[in-house]
């Protein structure tokens, strides 16, 4: 083994250790290169219109597939996972929001702060390097990189799944010009299971590993700017913002453990509100309770629109 390879291996181990110290649950490393296998799948997915109204998915096609176009000279993609599984759940018979949106502080901000802290520590110990941090906010195929770096496999519901831990993880990246020793990709452990496909309320998982985003409840309740089509009335019961069905039924998520990140603690109102509290919520209350949370992306009028959709005509 050359001195260069030894240094890359030593640096990789230190990066993983610093990532744990910064509060990340898992860290994996991949070589920054073109995602050759993902290119035809992404092109086919877009041509079939499975991105729905998410027009931004059509942009920066080349950058999504090659991190070196995002960070010139990039050598490594460091993928990081943050567990967001909650020990608490909403009361029964209320408008439901996806678990990732439980916290008062938007997860983007929580994880960005963790990333900046990690990069500072890396600079102090490993010397200066050029790079950028990403949290679901740029043309990065985060699940593909996490899978390539051994953090899990992409399941039939298109979520990253870890053996023995499940899929309730946020994914973040540091793309940088550090030369690091890459990890080996994880193997697939979905087997013959089709629970996520069978359980999807809108049949959005059109084939194993293929999700038609335009049919996903998350698309209807978060991304869609206009009113949810009347044809979807009754297609799902109580999801008001996002959906966790394909994760809730996944057998691997029986191993999920509650997160320990104080920045992701749920908004008390989410755990306490009745259905009436949601339906009677004013804009002032929305801004006070959810003004810094992930729900702000939908804005008050969008949330009201979603709540109205959940009510049967005439209610």
């Amino acid at each position: 083994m050359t001195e260069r390879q030894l240094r890359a291996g030593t640096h990789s181990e230190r990066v993983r250790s610093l990532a744990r110290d910064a509060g990340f649950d898992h860290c994996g490393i991949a070589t920054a290169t073109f995602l050759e296998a993902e290119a035809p799948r992404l092109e086919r997915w877009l041509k079939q219109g499975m991105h729905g109204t998410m027009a931004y998915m059509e942009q920066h096609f080349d950058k999504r597939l090659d991190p070196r176009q995002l960070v010139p000279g990039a050598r490594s993609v460091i993928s990081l996972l943050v567990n967001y599984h909650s020990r608490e759940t909403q009361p029964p018979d209320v408008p439901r929001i996806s678990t990732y949106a439980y916290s008062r502080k938007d997860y983007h901000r929580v994880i960005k702060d963790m990333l900046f802290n990690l990069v500072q520590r890396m600079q102090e110990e490993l010397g200066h390097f050029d790079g950028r941090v990403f949290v679901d906010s740029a043309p990065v195929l985060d699940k593909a990189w996490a899978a390539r770096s051994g953090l899990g496999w992409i399941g039939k519901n298109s979520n990253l799944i870890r053996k023995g831990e499940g899929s309730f993880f946020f994914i973040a990246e540091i793309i940088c010009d550090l030369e690091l020793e890459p990890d080996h990709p994880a193997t697939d452990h979905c087997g013959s299971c089709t629970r996520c496909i069978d359980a999807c309320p809108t049949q959005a998982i059109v084939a194993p590993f293929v999700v038609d985003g335009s049919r996903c409840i998350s698309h209807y309740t978060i991304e869609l700017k206009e009113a949810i089509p009347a044809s979807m009335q009754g297609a799902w019961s109580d999801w008001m913002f996002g959906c966790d069905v394909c994760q809730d039924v996944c057998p691997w998520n029986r191993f999920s453990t509650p997160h320990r990140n104080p920045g992701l603690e749920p908004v008390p109102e989410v755990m306490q509100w009745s259905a009436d509290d949601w339906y009677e919520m004013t804009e002032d209350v929305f801004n006070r309770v959810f003004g810094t949370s992930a729900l702000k992306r939908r804005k008050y009028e969008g949330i009201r629109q979603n709540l109205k959709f959940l009510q049967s005509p005439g209610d």
Side-chain angles (χ1 to χ4, degrees):
M1 185 176 291
T2 67
E3 181 179 346
R4 180 177 174 179
Q5 290 172 320
L6 285 171
R7 184 172 61 252
T10 300
H11 283 179
S12 297
E13 285 303 312
R14 193 60 193 140
V15 167
R16 295 186 187 95
S17 178
L18 291 172
R20 288 192 295 270
D21 292 344
F24 292 97
D25 294 285
H26 299 286
C27 173
I29 298 167
T31 301
T33 187
F34 182 74
L35 291 172
E36 187 172 354
E38 284 78 5
R41 291 199 288 266
L42 176 59
E43 184 176 22
R44 184 165 55 249
W45 188 78
L46 290 169
K47 283 185 175 180
Q48 292 175 349
M50 293 188 182
H51 56 307
T53 63
M54 297 178 285
Y56 59 85
M57 291 297 300
E58 302 172 25
Q59 302 169 2
H60 308 298
F61 182 84
D62 292 338
K63 288 182 179 180
R64 292 185 190 278
L65 297 166
D66 193 340
R68 295 167 297 185
Q69 294 201 25
L70 289 167
V71 179
R75 295 183 178 183
S76 301
V77 178
I78 304 169
S79 292
L80 302 135
L81 301 186
V82 176
N83 177 18
Y84 68 86
H85 186 62
S86 177
R87 67 178 62 85
E88 300 180 69
T89 58
Q90 291 179 265
D93 302 319
V94 301
R96 296 182 65 188
I97 66 175
S98 186
T99 307
Y100 84 84
Y102 276 4
S103 58
R104 185 179 301 280
K105 196 172 183 180
D106 191 334
Y107 71 92
H108 295 91
R109 188 69 267 161
V110 174
I111 299 176
K112 273 282 181 71
D113 289 345
M114 295 168 63
L115 283 169
F116 290 142
N117 177 45
L118 173 57
V119 168
Q120 181 179 348
R121 291 292 307 280
M122 289 170 59
Q123 299 272 13
E124 291 171 354
E125 295 206 18
L126 305 180
H128 174 77
F129 61 87
D130 290 324
R132 292 176 61 187
V133 301
F134 303 90
V135 187
D136 191 27
S137 57
V140 178
L141 297 181
D142 51 5
K143 288 178 282 190
W145 285 112
R148 182 168 287 212
S149 67
L151 294 180
W153 73 95
I154 298 177
K156 292 176 182 176
N157 59 5
S158 84
N159 287 314
L160 184 84
I161 305 173
R162 282 186 62 81
K163 187 176 182 180
E165 293 186 62
S167 61
F168 287 94
F169 290 98
F170 293 124
I171 307 174
E173 299 82 31
I174 301 172
I175 300 177
C176 63
D177 62 2
L178 280 175
E179 185 172 7
L180 302 171
E181 181 180 10
D183 293 295
H184 298 291
T187 53
D188 184 297
H189 294 279
C190 282
S192 60
C193 179
T194 60
R195 291 188 189 182
C196 59
I197 299 173
D198 300 335
C200 179
T202 56
Q203 293 80 54
I205 309 175
V206 296
F209 314 106
V210 181
V211 175
D212 183 345
S214 70
R215 296 165 61 175
C216 181
I217 294 173
S218 290
H219 176 263
Y220 286 118
T221 60
I222 301 175
E223 302 287 348
L224 194 65
K225 299 300 184 287
E226 60 266 22
I228 301 172
S231 60
M232 300 306 298
Q233 193 75 49
W236 61 90
S237 57
D238 52 7
W239 290 103
M240 186 270 293
F241 184 90
C243 177
D244 287 337
V245 169
C246 67
Q247 295 196 87
D248 289 340
V249 301
C250 177
W252 287 110
N253 278 321
R254 69 182 185 271
F255 300 110
S256 297
T257 56
H259 72 79
R260 294 173 292 178
N261 191 317
L264 298 177
E265 285 302 301
V267 178
E269 288 85 348
V270 169
M271 300 299 135
Q272 299 167 3
W273 274 5
S274 66
D276 286 344
D277 291 322
W278 282 102
Y279 288 114
E280 295 170 5
M281 176 178 60
T282 65
E283 186 168 6
D284 286 342
V285 171
F286 174 81
N287 290 332
R288 174 177 58 80
V289 176
F290 302 111
T292 58
S293 80
L295 269 70
K296 72 179 185 298
R297 178 177 179 182
R298 187 64 169 166
K299 300 180 181 178
Y300 175 72
E301 287 304 321
I303 295 297
R304 290 297 308 163
Q305 177 177 291
N306 293 354
L307 289 166
K308 184 177 179 181
F309 174 79
L310 291 182
Q311 294 179 300
S312 301
D315 284 359

